[in-house]
Amino acid sequence: MLQPEEAQAENNPAAAQADATSPAEPEENGEGSDGEQDGSGLRGEDLLVEEGEIAGDYLEQLLDVLDYDGDIDMDVEGRRAVVSIDGGRDLGHLVGRTGDVLDALQELTRLAVQQQTGVRSRLMLDVAGWRADKRTELTRLGTSVAERVKDGGEREELKPMTPFERKIVHDAVAAVDGVYSESVGADASRRVVVLPE
């Protein structure tokens, strides 16, 4: 499931090219490029901490309604609030088979944060370590494909992936000399291609 800012990148060729290879622009973290305050009156790190607290409260209420057990942990990584839920036996239901439920829950949590702060959130939600495991798996895949392309000199095209997944693969490929990657295709067919330099 595409997040609104990711959907914009998918429909804009220039943004799509940058979707997995360039870092987020400064204004996305709640600060303007000159470091001024955002509309909430908070500065960067303070806003991210507040986002994490709001998200934690929202998710705690959701777990209570569902009668699920889970420990909520909040952190700030880079320019993003990160909230994770771990420790409960029913948490797989909040992930879904392919992460689709987790994507929907992340978007609802972002909207709950935005409702209180007035600022669009880029918060990342993980449940039962699903995203962390996926990141490890995709990093291995990207590195492996990059090494094959480097050694064999032949381009390799991967299966369609979400923007989250493509970003991880692009980062892994970028760490290998002699190769580079691009995103090709549109919408649900968008995929990473790894090419020799």
Side-chain angles (χ1 to χ4, degrees):
M1 176 178 154
L2 293 177
Q3 305 306 329
E5 69 269 13
E6 293 160 343
Q8 289 172 354
E10 293 296 320
N11 295 324
N12 178 337
Q17 176 69 19
D19 76 332
T21 57
S22 64
E25 295 299 321
E27 60 270 19
E28 289 185 12
N29 74 352
E31 290 187 48
S33 58
D34 59 1
E36 291 181 8
Q37 294 177 341
D38 57 43
S40 72
L42 294 174
R43 293 190 178 268
E45 179 116 1
D46 292 336
L47 176 62
L48 297 179
V49 169
E50 183 187 23
E51 284 186 9
E53 290 170 356
I54 293 168
D57 291 343
Y58 174 78
L59 292 166
E60 191 173 306
Q61 290 174 13
L62 177 68
L63 291 176
D64 286 345
V65 167
L66 295 172
D67 196 27
Y68 284 5
D69 291 325
D71 298 319
I72 299 173
D73 183 44
M74 294 161 274
D75 199 2
V76 173
E77 292 179 10
R79 294 179 294 199
R80 200 183 282 249
V82 178
V83 179
S84 58
I85 306 173
D86 291 300
R89 60 180 171 77
D90 297 319
L91 293 181
H93 298 297
L94 298 179
V95 173
R97 209 163 28 105
T98 60
D100 53 341
V101 176
L102 175 56
D103 287 341
L105 182 57
Q106 176 176 275
E107 184 59 21
L108 288 172
T109 305
R110 286 176 171 180
L111 290 172
V113 169
Q114 181 179 352
Q115 184 178 24
Q116 289 196 38
T117 65
V119 178
R120 175 73 180 134
S121 174
R122 295 180 60 246
L123 176 139
M124 182 68 71
L125 175 64
D126 196 2
V127 174
W130 188 86
R131 284 197 202 277
D133 292 345
K134 194 74 170 169
R135 183 178 301 277
T136 300
E137 172 190 330
L138 290 168
T139 298
R140 268 192 240 126
L141 172 66
T143 302
S144 172
V145 170
E147 292 293 345
R148 274 199 311 267
V149 169
K150 179 180 178 180
D151 293 343
E154 296 286 323
R155 66 176 269 178
E156 198 166 323
E157 191 168 306
L158 303 178
K159 67 182 176 93
M161 295 179 181
T162 66
F164 165 77
E165 295 168 332
R166 289 194 312 272
K167 169 76 169 93
I168 296 166
V169 172
H170 282 299
D171 288 348
V173 171
V176 177
D177 291 331
V179 294
Y180 69 100
S181 58
E182 299 176 343
S183 288
V184 299
D187 302 324
S189 297
R190 198 148 173 83
R191 65 191 70 220
V192 174
V193 178
V194 182
L195 305 102
E197 286 186 337

